[in-house]
Amino acid sequence: MLLQNEESFFRKIIKSKRRVFYGILKLVINIMKKIIVLLLLCATLLLVGCKEQRNYIDVSEELSCVGVQNPNDWYGTIINSEQELQDYAKENNQTFKPAESCPPLPTIDFSKYTLIGMHLGGGGCKSSGEIFEVSIEDIDKIVYVNGGIKSKGLCEKLFLGQKWVLITKLSDDYRVSWNSRFSLTEEDLPQVKERLESGDFNTVYSTLSEIEKLGGVARPLVPTLVEIFDDYPQNQRIAEIAIDLDPSSADSLYPKLLNILETGDVDDKLNVAIPLIIKMERGKETIPFIIDIIKNIYPDGGVAFQYLAEMGDDGLPTLYQLAESNVSSIRRLAAEHIVNYYPITKEHVPYLVLVFEEGKQNSREQAIKKIKELDPKTRQEINNFIEEYGRTWDLTPSTD
């Protein structure tokens, strides 16, 4: 009887120990599960990062006249200084309104803010608003910018918009993801090269915007740009970007441009070859071709000289040279375009005299109007000079 009681007692102890053991084991397993979940969560955060949505200041209305550069496959626009904003606004007036018709550019403290601009797009039957948000992931230093136009229906209408916002100043080590696409870096040059060689004009054209934004990093692409210029000789921009990235590429491009001058149609001569050769500071070499265009294609010369004048300071030396021509019509046209399209200075007085003596009535009237707008001292000096030629004009500013 005693032995049976002892055996029963020990069995109870063993069962109790087993329960304790299994309890401890179960507790350890639960703790391990929690640790594993926590480790996985930490690993996920390290790999993906933690995106935190950020507030922004919407300045789209203040920049309603400033267009975000052409839509492309990679990214929007980032502006980090007042000078960048001034230059960008001047080059990208999307409404084509006079500056005085547009709202003044906002005053931005670029020491605190970065200005970003993005195209918004969508398709459907009816637009129903826009989507736009900015999130920042500080571990990997990524700014996520996502935006678009909300729409309803399965129609094929295209809706476009744009957004300009201020976000907290970005340091140079942050990358920006635009609708899940990252800004290009040097590592992307092979991909960009493939796009240039794609043979598709739209692909090439959108890629040119990316090359311009890459800046000097894209210099290794210059030989490709020179090569594909043969496939797109009408695209002046290809050659301009190549020359800007590497001025020595002008030596490879010049024979191609000369071939256009010798064999191309007049539009390609005026739109592409002549402006690019002048950009290369070889404008003197275009003069015989310009004279030929004036004599044989555009007898009044207006179109050829208009292109030169619209080139600004780059076209002025060529106009000076043409104003010395022994062909009276060419000499007159050059003087008229110098006077009408450039500021009137004392150095331009000889061309003023040419206009007064040989120019058309409307050119003389335009010159007089511009002279009246000068400061009194300069106006009087020019008036005195003109009077030496026996001319008398009323150059007193109007009081109207």
Side-chain angles (χ1 to χ4, degrees), residues 10-275:
F10 283 117
R11 284 179 180 174
K12 289 179 180 180
I13 292 176
I14 291 172
K15 284 182 180 180
S16 176
K17 286 183 177 180
R18 282 179 180 174
R19 283 195 296 270
V20 171
F21 173 76
Y22 285 125
I24 294 173
L25 182 61
K26 186 176 180 180
L27 178 63
V28 170
I29 290 172
N30 286 334
I31 293 173
M32 290 297 295
K33 283 181 179 179
K34 291 179 179 180
I35 291 174
I36 290 171
V37 170
L38 183 61
L39 289 173
L40 288 173
L41 179 61
C42 291
T44 301
L45 287 173
L46 288 172
L47 289 172
V48 178
C50 183
K51 288 196 295 185
E52 180 183 346
Q53 192 164 329
R54 298 291 176 90
N55 293 328
Y56 56 80
I57 301 173
D58 192 334
V59 290
S60 301
E61 185 174 345
E62 292 90 332
L63 294 172
S64 57
C65 284
V66 182
V68 179
Q69 286 181 358
N70 290 334
N72 53 66
D73 289 346
W74 280 292
Y75 46 38
T77 296
I78 302 173
I79 296 178
N80 273 309
S81 73
E82 178 65 28
Q83 188 60 53
E84 282 184 50
L85 176 57
Q86 295 285 347
D87 294 343
Y88 189 93
K90 185 177 180 180
E91 296 174 3
N92 295 277
N93 185 334
Q94 70 165 350
T95 61
F96 303 105
K97 293 180 181 177
E100 57 270 18
S101 301
C102 292
L105 296 178
T107 301
I108 298 172
D109 185 350
F110 283 101
S111 67
K112 296 181 179 178
Y113 298 105
T114 291
L115 174 64
I116 60 174
M118 183 181 184
H119 273 284
L120 305 180
C125 299
K126 183 179 180 181
S127 171
S128 57
E130 66 181 28
I131 305 166
F132 189 83
E133 66 177 25
V134 178
S135 301
I136 296 182
E137 189 270 284
D138 288 313
I139 295 177
D140 288 331
K141 297 187 175 181
I142 299 174
V143 179
Y144 294 90
V145 183
N146 296 297
I149 303 292
K150 294 189 291 185
S151 55
K152 298 178 180 179
L154 300 176
C155 305
E156 295 184 359
K157 286 184 180 179
L158 178 64
F159 301 106
L160 293 175
Q162 66 176 38
K163 195 81 167 178
W164 286 103
V165 303
L166 297 175
I167 62 173
T168 303
K169 183 74 174 179
L170 293 179
S171 58
D172 293 338
D173 53 352
Y174 273 77
R175 299 182 69 198
V176 180
S177 165
W178 308 86
N179 282 343
S180 302
R181 293 181 181 271
F182 282 99
S183 306
L184 297 182
T185 66
E186 190 172 0
E187 296 176 357
D188 300 299
L189 291 185
Q191 178 189 0
V192 178
K193 185 173 184 292
E194 286 181 8
R195 291 173 64 87
L196 288 176
E197 296 172 339
S198 68
D200 179 76
F201 176 77
N202 291 327
T203 299
V204 171
Y205 187 77
S206 67
T207 304
L208 294 178
S209 298
E210 308 313 317
I211 293 173
E212 286 179 311
K213 291 176 182 177
L214 282 169
V217 170
R219 189 170 180 175
L221 296 172
V222 169
T224 305
L225 290 169
V226 172
E227 181 180 347
I228 69 170
F229 182 76
D230 287 332
D231 299 324
Y232 309 97
Q234 298 85 7
N235 197 324
Q236 175 185 349
R237 197 155 160 241
I238 293 175
E240 284 183 332
I241 293 173
I243 294 170
D244 288 340
L245 288 173
D246 182 4
S248 67
S249 65
D251 294 332
S252 301
L253 287 164
Y254 179 72
K256 302 172 186 285
L257 300 174
L258 193 61
N259 183 59
I260 292 175
L261 283 180
E262 293 173 345
T263 64
D265 64 36
V266 67
D267 288 334
D268 286 346
K269 291 177 183 180
L270 289 171
N271 288 321
V272 181
I274 290 173

